[in-house]
Amino acid sequence: MRRAIALARTQVGRTGDNPSVGCVIVRDGAVVGEGVTAPGGRPHAEEQALIQAGEGARGATAYVTLEPCGQRSSGAPSCSALLAQAGMARVVVACDDASTFAGGRGMARLRAAGVRLDQGLLGAEAADLYSAYRPAK
Ligand SMILES: Nc1c(N[C@@H]2O[C@H](COP(=O)(O)O)[C@@H](O)[C@H]2O)[nH]c(=O)[nH]c1=O
């Protein structure tokens, strides 16, 4: 999660209305993919980390600084759906996202898919990233 927070920090203030999110995917103790929200806000961190991880995402753990989105404003598949579809075993989230596109729905989708969830790891450190973030209503 420290690595995910460090990644997110690199894009704070550069992602428009979107929060800067960091995602690190770990399997068998090795990083197999990582990503950070792109300048302008898209693609999302998880999308990029999953592309990098490829089949390595199956059975892996994702460390994400913010709740993975449960819906995209474009109608594209949400990050929680992509994580579940990739066969992720566990997702560890630092902070909640109160956005209308998340708001617990990302977590619910992952839980329904049987993904193990842990919340709050390094939550205070990660929350610092989001002091200026205003979740979409
Ligand atoms: N940037 C970011 C997230 N941003 C969240 O996803 C919502 C929908 O984003 P969009 O479809 O791009 O408009 C956005 O309002 C915010 O709550 N979520 C994530 O899982 N990962 C990311 O990297």
Side-chain angles (χ1 to χ4, degrees), residues 65-133:
T65 57
L66 195 71
E67 175 189 352
C69 64
Q71 188 188 338
R72 294 300 302 262
S73 58
S74 63
S78 66
C79 290
S80 51
L82 293 174
L83 289 164
Q85 206 173 68
M88 201 66 62
R90 181 181 174 213
V91 174
V92 184
V93 171
C95 294
D96 297 341
D97 182 2
S99 162
T100 181
F101 297 103
R105 283 190 295 140
M107 302 301 269
R109 186 184 283 266
L110 288 165
R111 196 172 296 115
V115 179
R116 178 180 159 195
L117 289 176
D118 293 285
Q119 281 176 268
L121 180 66
L122 298 182
E125 275 177 52
D128 260 3
L129 298 165
Y130 304 118
S131 54
Y133 164 52

Side-chain angles (χ1 to χ4, degrees), residues 11-35:
Q11 296 303 316
V12 169
R14 300 194 178 100
T15 54
D17 290 341
N18 246 315
S20 178
V21 176
C23 175
V24 175
I25 299 175
V26 176
R27 183 172 165 183
D28 298 330
V31 172
V32 294
E34 56 183 30

Side-chain angles (χ1 to χ4, degrees), residues 36-63:
V36 56
T37 312
R42 301 170 191 95
H44 282 188
E46 300 93 321
E47 292 180 290
Q48 300 177 76
L50 283 168
I51 287 170
Q52 211 177 83
E55 272 304 300
R58 202 155 290 283
T61 296
Y63 294 86

